[in-house]
Amino acid sequence: MTGVPDIDAFEERAAILEFEGGLSRREAEDRAAQAQGFRDADHFRQVLADYLLTGRLPH
């Protein structure tokens, strides 16, 4: 189970990976999401959206 998605940490990490690490935006976002325990950026965004709508995390 993953924790509550931290959007600020996600955005900061992705920006660093993109601009300083030379990764594409997509790869940087995937890695930033993985650093928080999500499969990829799409999974991060889905869990975040679900959490904002329901106040619950997936089991």
Side-chain angles (χ1 to χ4, degrees), residues 17-45:
L17 289 168
E18 181 180 8
F19 293 106
E20 293 182 14
L23 299 177
S24 69
R25 185 63 184 179
R26 179 65 191 184
E27 182 64 25
E29 288 181 346
D30 283 346
R31 290 197 186 178
Q34 290 163 353
Q36 291 189 41
F38 299 93
R39 287 188 307 270
D40 54 28
D42 290 336
H43 182 226
F44 173 90
R45 289 184 182 100

